[in-house]
Amino acid sequence: MKSIQNYIDGQFVRGKREFADVNPADGSVSAEVTEADRGQVDDAVQAARRALRGEWARIGVRERAARLHKVAEAIEARFDCFLRAEVADTGKPVALAAKLDVPRAAANFRVFADAVKMAGIESFQTETPDGRSALNYAVRKPLGVVGIITPWNLPLLLLTWKVAPALACGNAVVVKPSEETPATATLLAEAMHAAGIPNGVYNVVHGFGPGSAGEFLTQHPDVNAVTFTGESRTGAAIMKAVAPTVKPVSFELGGKNAAIVFADCDFEETGRGLADAVFLNTGQVCLCAERIYVERAIFERLVEALKKKAEQLRAGWPREQDTNLGPLISAQHREKVMGYYRLAREEGATVVTGGGIPEFGDARDQGFYVQPTIYTGLAEAARCVKEEIFGPVCHIAPFDSEDEAVALANDTKYGLAASVWTTNLKRGHTIAQRMNAGITWVNCWFLRDLRTPFGGVGLSGIGREFLFRAEQYLRSTLGIRGRIEERRRNSLS
Ligand code: NAD
Ligand code: 6OD
């Protein structure tokens, strides 16, 4: 049986307890994972602190960036290993992981390595009352040890999205990947080593949240900041855990994202875009659209088109190239999603398609598949319209005016993402600016450009991830106010 271990100070380290890494496609155990206890989390944090006083602090930004480029190369050199590990852990289709997860992971290191070399510091010349002037500027330093806690839906992509900027800014990290998907964070340790990242700069501790590695990390007094992606409820628990040691946090949390579709949309393009927005990664992307509002004139036609797309999805084995729908991550998550499928019926939904569990007649019946599902007819106050389900499911409702569509879309405690579909670009951008969401796409979805900010409002998060303002991984240590001794020409003094 494969064994997945902690990675502390450049060494793979076994813990006292093991837990199973389950393949969601057939429920088989693919590896034994070692759980880090409080002492091992402390070892990892202390290793990171030592690393901050060593070579990593001395090499400077140019060399740091060069090594992060090497990490990207090392990921690519192990492309097939990462691909196999990610597919076994998540059950996601291999074609998706090959296009999205592994390439974006490598890209994350390149993008942040290049960005940090370009990052400048603003300075201000201040006129002082005595008629002279002063120069004001800030100096940025690494935060120190950053604790990184990540979820299971896009394990490598979301992990590297935090690790790359943190390291680019000169920090050292201790990462706690999801207990459901421990493999690629561990493989990344090999890539770090191959790229010449000094021991202790990148550490991995495995385990769970409460009473385990996640909590030990957030409570640790020598962790200087915590960055977390996961459920809003977990974000709230982490806020409490960091309060006594007053750590800065950045949170990418849940969503109940809306898509607004106007009758003048490019119907074919919109159908394709929405099918991705609802069903990609079995709906387990924080940005997925679970609420679709459609202008009444094309409501029936759009429901029919999306039904057809849902029924064409192929829930094959993840390793087969033409599979485009994988299982959910776990038996527990399937129970949650099936709970919402049952609730939708109780709340009076019309089931357009799906609502159940597919039958295969092979080992996939021991996996965690659900049918892609579309509902109509729910009241806006229904729990299935308000709560994040995180599965291959959406509710579609009609609207009659722009104002109504905006009000419906914004009627949520979340505020992560939205999309607007129309060939009237003026309207597209006007509506986009009225969305109470961290990111709004117009006629596309999940199109990425790391130069624009990413993050949510409301229950969807705190902080922004993006290129030139990786501030959450830096601190301004001092505002320097330097006198300019030269007197101004027209000075009265
Ligand atoms: P989760 O919150 O259950 O777990 C995420 C991580 O937090 C795991 O590593 C887990 O072990 C750890 N954890 C749990 N409790 C903890 C605690 N008390 N202290 C410290 N660590 C703890 O989330 P999940 O089920 O893995 O992921 C799905 C959720 O993540 C969805 O809500 C989804 O919307 C959200 N998500 C958000 C984004 C985004 O960018 N906004 C991206 C991906 C996923
Ligand atoms: O890769 C990205 O650019 C991105 N925004 C990923 C977010 C995924 C959320 O589940």
Side-chain angles (χ1 to χ4, degrees):
M1 175 70 62
K2 199 172 130 199
S3 160
I4 295 179
Q5 301 185 11
N6 301 310
Y7 183 71
I8 300 171
D9 207 9
Q11 305 295 321
F12 288 101
V13 185
R14 203 178 274 281
K16 292 194 189 88
R17 285 201 312 209
E18 308 273 307
F19 61 93
D21 184 11
V22 175
N23 182 337
D26 59 9
S28 63
V29 176
S30 56
E32 291 292 336
V33 190
T34 201
E35 184 182 0
D37 60 19
R38 201 183 278 276
Q40 285 174 322
V41 172
D42 182 54
D43 290 346
V45 173
Q46 299 314 330
R49 282 174 67 84
R50 281 194 302 279
L52 287 168
R53 297 192 294 271
E55 184 194 4
W56 193 236
R58 289 192 298 272
I59 57 177
V61 69
R62 203 185 295 221
E63 177 59 21
R64 258 195 342 256
R67 294 200 198 176
L68 294 185
H69 271 280
K70 286 191 184 142
V71 175
E73 286 160 23
I75 292 173
E76 284 165 353
R78 293 161 179 76
F79 193 93
D80 287 340
C81 294
F82 276 104
L83 197 58
R84 266 197 305 277
E86 201 71 319
V87 170
D89 264 7
T90 60
K92 69 177 66 194
V94 67
L96 176 65
K99 194 175 76 180
L100 180 81
D101 301 71
V102 185
R104 281 195 183 189
N108 284 338
F109 283 100
R110 292 206 169 95
V111 165
F112 286 107
D114 289 341
V116 81
K117 283 191 295 189
M118 304 291 291
I121 287 177
E122 280 179 322
S123 65
F124 303 92
Q125 189 159 335
T126 313
E127 294 188 0
T128 51
D130 60 4
R132 295 191 296 162
S133 53
L135 201 56
N136 285 264
Y137 59 98
V139 174
R140 289 183 179 148
K141 302 249 169 118
L143 283 162
V145 179
V146 179
I148 296 182
I149 301 180
T150 49
W152 44 258
N153 61 326
L154 302 164
L156 181 65
L157 187 161
L158 291 170
L159 178 86
T160 52
W161 203 12
K162 291 180 182 299
V163 171
L167 297 193
C169 294
N171 300 285
V173 300
V174 179
V175 310
K176 209 298 283 171
S178 169
E179 56 274 30
E180 309 283 1
T181 54
T184 45
T186 315
L187 267 179
L188 188 60
E190 291 177 19
M192 293 283 172
H193 181 72
I197 303 296
N199 290 348
V201 171
Y202 176 80
N203 304 277
V204 185
V205 290
H206 290 294
F208 305 83
S212 183
E215 194 175 278
F216 303 151
L217 189 58
T218 55
Q219 289 176 339
H220 200 293
D222 292 333
V223 169
N224 301 104
V226 171
T227 175
F228 165 74
T229 299
E231 279 195 42
S232 303
R233 235 190 346 227
T234 313
I238 291 176
M239 269 185 126
K240 280 193 193 146
V242 302
T245 46
V246 201
K247 299 184 211 317
V249 290
S250 84
F251 288 165
E252 305 293 344
L253 307 177
K256 187 72 182 178
N257 310 306
I260 299 179
V261 185
F262 286 96
D264 65 1
C265 70
D266 177 328
F267 195 84
E268 293 306 316
E269 189 182 76
T270 302
R272 278 194 299 276
L274 287 178
D276 273 350
V278 177
F279 301 121
L280 192 89
N281 207 38
T282 317
Q284 301 168 118
V285 179
C286 56
L287 309 160
C288 276
E290 291 192 3
R291 300 179 294 141
I292 302 183
Y293 298 105
V294 186
E295 197 165 4
R296 196 173 296 276
I298 60 160
F299 176 74
E300 301 293 346
R301 190 170 158 227
L302 193 110
V303 170
E304 197 48 41
L306 214 53
K307 170 178 190 281
K308 205 164 149 198
K309 300 258 185 225
E311 290 172 357
Q312 283 168 348
L313 290 169
R314 186 172 175 277
W317 285 97
R319 293 289 304 166
E320 290 168 358
Q321 281 296 336
D322 59 350
T323 293
N324 50 19
L325 187 79
L328 294 171
I329 189 68
S330 63
Q332 190 190 5
H333 188 52
R334 180 164 76 172
E335 194 34 52
K336 174 184 162 186
V337 172
M338 287 307 297
Y340 279 105
Y341 282 13
R342 288 189 291 274
L343 179 65
R345 285 195 171 85
E346 287 161 29
E347 290 186 313
T350 300
V351 184
V352 175
T353 187
I357 293 176
E359 283 177 22
F360 298 100
D362 59 31
R364 281 171 294 172
D365 290 332
Q366 275 75 61
F368 314 126
Y369 289 84
V370 291
Q371 290 173 332
T373 297
I374 298 173
Y375 297 116
T376 57
L378 283 170
E380 277 301 305
R383 282 181 54 202
C384 289
V385 178
K386 290 285 170 245
E387 296 172 15
E388 182 187 50
I389 301 173
F390 219 55
V393 53
C394 68
H395 178 252
I396 314 183
F399 71 82
D400 294 299
S401 72
E402 280 184 11
D403 284 348
E404 184 192 5
V406 170
L408 289 168
N410 282 341
D411 187 11
T412 171
K413 291 189 172 127
Y414 292 102
L416 186 59
S419 58
V420 183
W421 303 83
T422 173
T423 49
N424 178 343
L425 279 188
K426 183 175 172 204
R427 171 152 73 183
H429 288 279
T430 308
I431 299 283
Q433 293 197 19
R434 294 176 66 191
M435 285 295 105
N436 191 26
I439 184 164
T440 301
W441 281 284
V442 180
N443 294 326
C444 57
W445 177 77
F446 212 5
L447 190 152
R448 158 194 248 217
D449 187 326
L450 295 178
R451 289 170 299 185
T452 49
F454 179 90
V457 301
L459 281 187
S460 292
I462 299 175
R464 293 290 178 272
E465 311 260 5
F466 69 126
L467 200 62
F468 285 102
R469 297 177 75 84
E471 262 130 5
Q472 55 212 43
Y473 301 105
L474 290 165
R475 68 195 153 105
S476 297
T477 42
L478 13 138
I480 294 179
R481 293 166 176 78
R483 271 291 188 192
I484 300 175
E485 287 307 331
E486 199 177 295
R487 282 166 192 249
R488 284 166 49 210
R489 212 174 293 152
N490 297 326
S491 150
L492 294 175
S493 59

